[in-house]
Amino acid sequence: MVKSYQRFEQEAVFGVIDSNSNSVWLPPTSTEKSTNPGELITSALENVNIWNIKTGELDSFLTDGVPLGSIDTKSAKPAEVTYLKYHKDTNLLAVGYADGVIKVWDLMSKSVLLSFNGHKSAITTLEFDVTGTRLISGSRDSNIIVWDLVSEIGLYKLRSHKDNITGLWCENEDWLISTSKDGLIKIWDLKVQQCVETHIAHTGECWALGIHNDLVVTTGSDSQVKVWQLNLENNNGSKLTEKGIHEKQSKQRGLDVQFKTTTDGVTFFFIQNADKTIEIFRIRKDEEISRALKKREKRLSEKGMTEEEIALNIKTSYVSLIMHPFQIIRSLYKVKSACWTYATQSKLELVVTTSSNTIEYYSVPYEKRDPIQPVPSKPYSIELQGLRTDIRAIDISDDTKLLATASNGLLKIWNLKTKLCIRTFECGFALTCKFLPGGLLVVVGTRNGELQLFDLASSTQLENIEEAHDAAIWSLDITNDGKKLVTGSADKTVKFWEFKLDEQLIPGTTNKFMQALKLHHDTTMELNDDILSIKLSPDDKYLAVSLLDNTVKIFFMDTMKFFLSLYGHKLPVLSIDISFDSKLVITSSADKNIKIWGLDFGDCHKSLFAHQDSIMNVKFVPESHNFFSCSKDGLVKYWDGDKFECIQKLAGHQSEVWALAMANDASFVVSTSHDHSIRVWAETEDEVFLEEEREKEMEEQYEETLLNSLEEGNGDDAFKKDAGEANDGDDAGDVHKQTIESLKASERLMEALDLGISEIDKKETYDKEMKQWNKKKTGEAPIAPQGNAILLAIKKTPVEYIMDTLVRIKPSQMEDALLVFPFSYTLKFLQFIDIALADSKLSSSYLPLICKNLFFVIRYNQKELVAQKNETLKLQITRVKNQLRKKLQANEDDLGFNVQGLKFVKQQWNLRHNFEFVDEYEQKKEEEKGKKKRVFETLV
């Protein structure tokens, strides 16, 4: 009997307020705009969060696909969100991911409408056109792709930049301006899909682009900001002219430039720097500029300058004339993204996300041209539902309802049902934490050697023993009865503490006492090396201690006598756990190995090379020899401790996983990571079979190599392709990228063609034989072929079956699916088109689809088709051409007739329902104006 295991899947992810992409502000829909700061869309690793700025609560989140860890997910970590772009009129949100995929979400239904996959690496910028029907994407692969959201395809790829695309801006459907880290700014004519103008924007990298009317602002890799003037009416080569350079205060690069016009027509823009600052600038009004110019001209002429010198002086000071620094916003943390919210005649407001997992909302009140306060106010901030620094230790309460997370400076208690933070305590640099039995008290060990005790019910710190140890407390454990605490420290000692109730004087009284729980030091055990981890056996009989000399020492808990030494690791052991029956010990080390030991004799049962980096934590599943491990390689793995097999790989975290905690009832496990996320992996009804998991991993590897070979070709092809791309003068190309989905779609279509065309051929053969038999009437009559079981079951003809398969392929994958067709299937496809056009019902319903695919197949197989000496094929193509022309002509006629009919209906409606009001008095006046006065001429 093959052994099966229960599958663990991701149930929830929380703790992330914002991750590495930009943010998007949504204005409130209600009438209370003055008091409601709206919502903010932020990236949350692979998901998208929508936060209510006023309440600080998570309104909703967008997540796509099946839960991580399920049978249909890949074993690689999910792609992180890298860019967000919102289109107000259509209520669409375009989300770019780190693997080059773009998903277009409908914010009303919270569902994915479209998915595009054309880039080879992370999306760096997205831009909608004015109508919201086209999306332009820029990526790290240096390509720009224009996508059509209506027909769901990539229209063309613009490739001329040599590095990351950092900025995009489009004007109608005609012009596109792009900047890149190659330091260039380019203007593209989208009608001809060519770059018509290129300028060196900055000597190094160009990091941001902002455009407002005819003003263009770009930022470089230092404090330099360039100002340009844009006029798309000019001839090619002079559409963009450099006007001047401004040195901003921050020496760091500017990552983003955004403009905002207030209700009274004044324009501001900010430059978000790669540090803790955002610099706001004000663009002067035309009247201000003309007044300043007159003053300057007058002043310079008084100095005795000539007109040419005055003109030169004004030209060099153009930037300071049109704009001036307004205010600098300084955050406590490094700024990740910023966006404008409200801009009125009296105040500017903007919202900022930071690298410390917080959202800050700033208000800048101003009067005329200057801010009122030297520092902007911060009315709102969202920071409760996340931690500022990495979570170093976690623990789950006995009743599995609460989760404690400890980091540098903060201890947070989370409700595991609602996934909300319910308590926050200030603590030291926490390295380890533990719930006491009952789940109302938490004890924390810090890097400074402090031992802190917190009470959740009263939200107070009961005790802080500042010199519990002389160095960092790396690990602590509590006995089963909850009366004793054991701590292990880098000061080479293990200390034993007892919990006792002491009489404590009530503040403000002289003789009233209350009982308070206190920690009393009992005994100390000194060892030869720093202690990294300690663990008590479930029966409180043994104490396992991990030392810096790579060994694990086992002591008897009651007498503290030495029992066993476990040696074999090449680097220090970072975590220990003992099984429920006290028979097995597992140790994980920085040498990437997990060792399983017997506790009877200290023998090593098995050494597993478990991860690709240091293994931070191991935890046994209660009442089982199975265990979980987590590592700096970002993976959580589920192991069988008896068979020494990896059961499941849980890839969800984007970076190092620091800690694990297992629920007492084994229903879920919680992991925390450097990416600020807390993930809950819950046990499901689904079963895992080891053979299936190994097969799935092998399939994924094969698919990856297959896609790479399809994209790059063989050695010679790849070389030719690279050389061709390097020498190719053409800026535009087609958008093609082979994915597993497009390959599967191609396979489905080929299977349908095989089945359908063979059925059609059988029917044709039968018809011919029957015709001949009817003429001669000799011998036995031919037997009618039996229909295919699948077609009979779904009650469809072969042509309808092929058409259904074709319709089900997504438009964005269609061309890629047809590209991998062998030529024999191209001929079958042409045969199918010929038959489909003969069927009036099919051809009228699917004419656009037939035309689109037929033209693509003919274009890409033109040489092979021309080289064919098959007369039947030539007749077939001619027949298709003639039929198609007739169908398209008929379609055009119908369309013209319908348009004229609608115009007539509109005219009739206007005649019957719309009555024009005529003012008789006004009409009389008009008539009198038009009358010619009688003129008497003198006749001589």
Side-chain angles (χ1 to χ4, degrees):
M1 183 78 181
V2 179
K3 189 175 179 184
S4 67
Y5 306 86
Q6 296 306 114
R7 182 178 290 279
F8 279 80
E9 289 179 10
Q10 183 177 290
E11 183 186 72
V13 54
F14 56 98
V16 183
I17 292 173
D18 63 89
S19 57
N20 292 320
S21 91
N22 63 326
S23 54
V24 173
W25 179 70
L26 290 181
T29 50
S30 60
T31 50
E32 48 173 40
K33 287 198 173 183
S34 56
T35 57
N36 190 347
E39 294 178 319
L40 188 72
I41 304 175
T42 64
S43 64
L45 305 175
E46 71 273 16
N47 300 329
V48 176
N49 282 347
I50 302 175
W51 295 93
N52 186 318
I53 298 171
K54 192 173 185 178
T55 61
E57 292 173 357
L58 184 65
D59 274 0
S60 58
F61 64 94
L62 309 177
T63 182
D64 185 34
V66 291
L68 297 176
S70 67
I71 194 160
D72 299 320
T73 52
K74 291 188 176 180
S75 55
K77 66 183 180 186
E80 197 176 349
V81 173
T82 55
Y83 201 84
L84 303 166
K85 187 70 184 178
Y86 175 67
H87 192 264
K88 188 180 175 183
D89 298 339
T90 55
N91 202 27
L92 295 179
L93 178 72
V95 181
Y97 292 84
D99 57 356
V101 171
I102 301 163
K103 288 178 183 172
V104 180
W105 294 78
D106 176 23
L107 287 184
M108 188 70 76
S109 62
K110 306 279 189 293
S111 60
V112 177
L113 297 181
L114 307 167
S115 185
F116 297 122
N117 193 349
H119 288 287
K120 291 176 184 173
S121 52
I123 305 296
T124 53
T125 181
L126 293 166
E127 189 70 38
F128 280 101
D129 73 349
V130 182
T131 57
T133 55
R134 285 187 178 192
L135 179 67
I136 304 161
S137 61
S139 166
R140 277 192 194 153
D141 61 10
S142 78
N143 291 331
I144 299 166
I145 297 180
V146 179
W147 306 91
D148 188 336
L149 301 186
V150 179
S151 57
E152 303 179 27
I153 55 165
L155 296 174
Y156 46 85
K157 185 187 286 184
L158 304 172
R159 43 168 208 255
S160 180
H161 283 292
K162 298 288 180 282
D163 208 335
N164 284 12
I165 307 298
T166 54
L168 289 173
W169 176 86
C170 68
E171 171 74 20
N172 302 325
E173 291 183 1
D174 301 337
W175 300 101
L176 174 71
I177 297 177
S178 64
T179 55
S180 165
K181 276 170 71 176
D182 58 11
L184 302 177
I185 181 167
K186 288 177 180 279
I187 300 178
W188 304 81
D189 186 343
L190 296 184
K191 292 194 290 292
V192 293
Q193 297 158 28
Q194 290 286 328
C195 176
V196 294
E197 208 168 294
T198 303
H199 299 269
I200 298 172
H202 296 271
T203 48
E205 297 165 337
C206 182
W207 276 94
L209 168 75
I211 299 179
H212 177 74
N213 298 336
D214 64 341
L215 180 70
V216 179
V217 177
T218 59
T219 62
S221 53
D222 49 14
S223 61
Q224 194 184 74
V225 178
K226 265 195 189 177
V227 178
W228 311 71
Q229 193 168 28
L230 177 68
N231 188 350
L232 294 170
E233 301 297 319
N234 288 353
N235 295 328
N236 292 347
S238 58
K239 293 182 187 297
L240 195 66
T241 48
E242 188 182 329
K243 284 294 182 179
I245 294 171
H246 175 77
E247 293 288 331
K248 57 187 175 67
Q249 282 200 19
S250 170
K251 299 297 176 202
Q252 294 292 323
R253 62 183 180 271
L255 293 177
D256 194 13
V257 178
Q258 284 185 34
F259 286 85
K260 184 79 172 177
T261 305
T262 62
T263 47
D264 60 341
V266 181
T267 302
F268 292 85
F269 72 91
F270 70 68
I271 297 175
Q272 174 213 327
N273 298 313
D275 53 17
K276 298 177 182 179
T277 62
I278 296 168
E279 296 184 34
I280 302 175
F281 296 86
R282 180 180 175 276
I283 297 171
R284 292 187 172 96
K285 286 185 172 180
D286 292 341
E287 310 92 75
E288 288 179 50
I289 295 170
S290 58
R291 279 203 305 271
L293 273 173
K294 281 175 187 172
K295 277 184 186 175
R296 185 168 289 188
E297 282 174 11
K298 190 180 176 184
R299 197 170 66 247
L300 293 174
S301 59
E302 283 172 1
K303 285 185 179 178
M305 284 190 177
T306 62
E307 283 186 9
E308 287 126 18
E309 287 173 331
I310 291 170
L312 184 68
N313 185 291
I314 287 168
K315 192 179 176 184
T316 52
S317 59
Y318 174 82
V319 175
S320 60
L321 264 174
I322 63 157
M323 66 185 216
H324 65 95
F326 186 71
Q327 188 156 37
I328 296 177
I329 293 175
R330 287 185 169 84
S331 172
L332 290 171
Y333 312 109
K334 190 180 174 185
V335 176
K336 257 191 201 163
S337 75
C339 51
W340 289 109
T341 57
Y342 295 114
T344 64
Q345 296 176 11
S346 58
K347 66 177 176 180
L348 300 173
E349 293 185 348
L350 64 161
V351 63
V352 173
T353 65
T354 71
S355 59
S356 293
N357 206 22
T358 63
I359 296 169
E360 295 170 349
Y361 191 91
Y362 288 98
S363 179
V364 183
Y366 70 97
E367 200 173 350
K368 291 182 181 176
R369 289 179 292 177
D370 296 305
I372 296 167
Q373 302 165 351
V375 178
S377 59
K378 189 165 71 171
Y380 306 106
S381 67
I382 302 173
E383 50 188 32
L384 184 67
Q385 301 304 326
L387 282 100
R388 311 290 76 77
T389 51
D390 289 5
I391 297 168
R392 290 288 173 176
I394 56 173
D395 195 34
I396 300 169
S397 62
D398 298 342
D399 57 5
T400 68
K401 287 181 181 175
L402 300 177
L403 173 77
T405 60
S407 66
N408 179 8
L410 286 180
L411 168 70
K412 280 184 179 279
I413 310 298
W414 306 79
N415 182 328
L416 278 169
K417 193 174 182 182
T418 61
K419 312 294 183 286
L420 294 175
C421 176
I422 55 171
R423 293 281 188 278
T424 301
F425 299 97
E426 287 189 5
C427 62
F429 194 132
L431 296 175
T432 178
C433 72
K434 197 89 176 163
F435 269 107
L436 269 64
L440 288 174
L441 297 169
V442 179
V443 63
V444 173
T446 72
R447 197 166 70 172
N448 297 331
E450 298 164 334
L451 204 53
Q452 299 175 334
L453 186 63
F454 297 94
D455 178 17
L456 307 190
S458 62
S459 299
T460 54
Q461 187 183 69
L462 294 179
E463 191 168 17
N464 182 12
I465 304 171
E466 289 189 359
E467 293 181 3
H469 283 273
D470 298 333
I473 300 172
W474 284 108
S475 184
L476 57 83
D477 204 357
I478 296 167
T479 55
N480 260 348
D481 56 10
K483 291 180 179 176
K484 277 194 174 182
L485 171 75
V486 186
T487 57
S489 165
D491 64 2
K492 303 179 184 178
T493 63
V494 175
K495 287 190 178 180
F496 298 82
W497 309 79
E498 284 188 356
F499 293 103
K500 286 184 181 175
L501 287 169
D502 285 0
E503 292 287 325
Q504 192 174 345
L505 187 71
I506 296 171
T509 62
T510 53
N511 57 354
K512 287 187 179 178
F513 294 88
M514 65 173 181
Q515 287 191 329
L517 192 71
K518 296 285 180 186
L519 278 166
H520 289 267
H521 180 227
D522 186 25
T523 47
T524 302
M525 179 167 67
E526 291 191 3
L527 294 160
N528 299 327
D529 273 289
D530 291 14
I531 291 142
L532 297 179
S533 179
I534 61 167
K535 182 69 186 174
L536 287 166
S537 63
D539 55 7
D540 292 339
K541 188 179 177 184
Y542 303 112
L543 171 67
V545 182
S546 151
L547 300 172
L548 202 61
D549 64 0
N550 311 345
T551 63
V552 175
K553 302 269 195 293
I554 312 283
F555 297 91
F556 288 106
M557 179 66 182
D558 48 2
T559 60
M560 292 182 214
K561 285 187 176 175
F562 175 73
F563 173 49
L564 292 169
S565 179
L566 313 178
Y567 55 89
H569 282 290
K570 295 181 177 67
L571 288 168
V573 172
L574 302 175
S575 177
I576 314 168
D577 202 13
I578 299 172
S579 65
F580 72 102
D581 53 8
S582 299
K583 286 186 177 175
L584 292 181
V585 179
I586 43 171
T587 57
S588 70
S589 164
D591 62 10
K592 308 173 193 174
N593 286 305
I594 292 174
K595 289 187 188 288
I596 302 165
W597 315 79
L599 199 52
D600 301 334
F601 308 106
D603 54 323
C604 181
H605 290 187
K606 187 74 175 176
S607 181
L608 302 166
F609 181 74
H611 288 270
Q612 301 301 317
D613 210 330
S614 302
I615 302 165
M616 302 307 295
N617 222 315
V618 279
K619 283 278 186 290
F620 267 114
V621 176
E623 306 301 316
S624 164
H625 283 172
N626 298 347
F627 62 91
F628 280 89
S629 66
C630 69
S631 162
K632 280 187 181 178
D633 63 6
L635 290 176
V636 175
K637 289 188 180 180
Y638 182 28
W639 302 85
D640 185 334
D642 293 325
K643 287 190 172 182
F644 318 122
E645 293 266 12
C646 179
I647 302 165
Q648 211 183 338
K649 286 181 188 173
L650 302 173
H653 291 288
Q654 298 291 339
S655 46
E656 300 98 325
V657 186
W658 295 124
L660 269 181
M662 191 81 213
N664 279 351
D665 58 1
S667 60
F668 64 90
V669 63
V670 180
S671 59
T672 64
S673 164
H674 175 61
D675 61 18
H676 295 303
S677 69
I678 303 166
R679 292 179 192 262
V680 180
W681 308 90
E683 192 178 55
T684 62
E685 297 293 318
D686 196 8
E687 292 189 329
V688 179
F689 296 96
L690 297 179
E691 284 294 315
E692 282 182 12
E693 287 294 306
R694 298 298 90 81
E695 279 174 24
K696 189 176 140 192
E697 285 172 23
M698 293 294 285
E699 269 177 31
E700 279 178 22
Q701 283 182 347
Y702 168 69
E703 283 171 1
E704 203 174 316
T705 51
L706 175 68
L707 288 176
N708 288 341
S709 65
L710 280 171
E711 281 294 316
E712 295 165 11
N714 298 325
D716 292 345
D717 295 340
F719 176 75
K720 281 177 193 169
K721 187 176 166 188
D722 288 348
E725 277 190 10
N727 302 323
D728 196 358
D730 191 12
D731 289 338
D734 291 332
V735 183
H736 293 301
K737 184 186 176 186
Q738 288 298 345
T739 61
I740 290 300
E741 287 78 19
S742 64
L743 288 176
K744 284 178 179 173
S746 181
E747 281 175 7
R748 284 200 305 274
L749 190 54
M750 284 195 274
E751 283 169 12
L753 284 168
D754 279 337
L755 191 151
I757 297 295
S758 65
E759 287 294 302
I760 291 163
D761 288 346
K762 281 180 195 173
K763 183 80 171 60
E764 283 178 358
T765 311
Y766 168 72
D767 288 345
K768 275 182 189 175
E769 288 174 357
M770 197 68 191
K771 209 174 184 183
Q772 286 175 354
W773 186 81
N774 282 334
K775 279 181 185 176
K776 295 177 183 178
K777 295 281 184 183
T778 54
E780 285 186 19
I783 301 163
Q786 197 175 353
N788 187 285
I790 296 170
L791 297 179
L792 290 171
I794 59 175
K795 294 178 184 174
K796 281 190 170 28
T797 65
V799 183
E800 286 173 343
Y801 176 68
I802 298 170
M803 185 58 81
D804 276 4
T805 310
L806 196 65
V807 168
R808 279 201 293 269
I809 298 171
K810 287 182 183 174
S812 56
Q813 294 165 4
M814 183 68 79
E815 291 187 356
D816 291 325
L818 293 173
L819 266 179
V820 291
F821 261 25
F823 187 66
S824 59
Y825 282 93
T826 303
L827 298 177
K828 284 184 183 180
F829 190 72
L830 289 172
Q831 189 184 341
F832 153 70
I833 296 278
D834 184 21
I835 299 160
L837 284 171
D839 186 330
S840 58
K841 188 184 169 187
L842 270 180
S843 59
S844 60
S845 302
Y846 301 110
L847 193 61
L849 184 70
I850 290 170
C851 291
K852 185 181 160 189
N853 293 323
L854 176 64
F855 299 156
F856 180 78
V857 166
I858 297 282
R859 190 167 77 244
Y860 266 84
N861 294 281
Q862 185 200 357
K863 288 180 182 175
E864 289 86 348
L865 290 168
V866 168
Q868 292 293 307
K869 293 193 170 75
N870 188 343
E871 281 299 320
T872 320
L873 178 66
K874 287 179 182 174
L875 287 168
Q876 190 186 71
I877 291 173
T878 312
R879 193 163 57 246
V880 166
K881 181 184 79 173
N882 295 333
Q883 280 181 321
L884 204 55
R885 276 190 180 166
K886 278 181 195 170
K887 298 278 182 192
L888 289 169
Q889 188 60 52
N891 219 350
E892 191 183 357
D893 293 345
D894 289 348
L895 203 64
F897 179 80
N898 290 341
V899 168
Q900 291 306 320
L902 285 168
K903 281 181 182 174
F904 177 73
V905 170
K906 184 183 175 186
Q907 189 182 358
Q908 291 299 314
W909 173 272
N910 287 337
L911 282 172
R912 288 178 189 172
H913 296 81
N914 292 353
F915 296 102
E916 195 175 337
F917 171 73
V918 178
D919 189 330
E920 288 178 10
Y921 181 72
E922 289 287 329
Q923 194 179 12
K924 213 179 241 183
K925 278 179 80 175
E926 288 295 320
E927 283 174 5
E928 281 175 4
K929 272 185 191 174
K931 279 180 184 174
K932 279 189 177 180
K933 283 184 180 177
R934 188 180 293 163
V935 178
F936 293 99
E937 291 185 0
T938 312
L939 295 170
V940 178

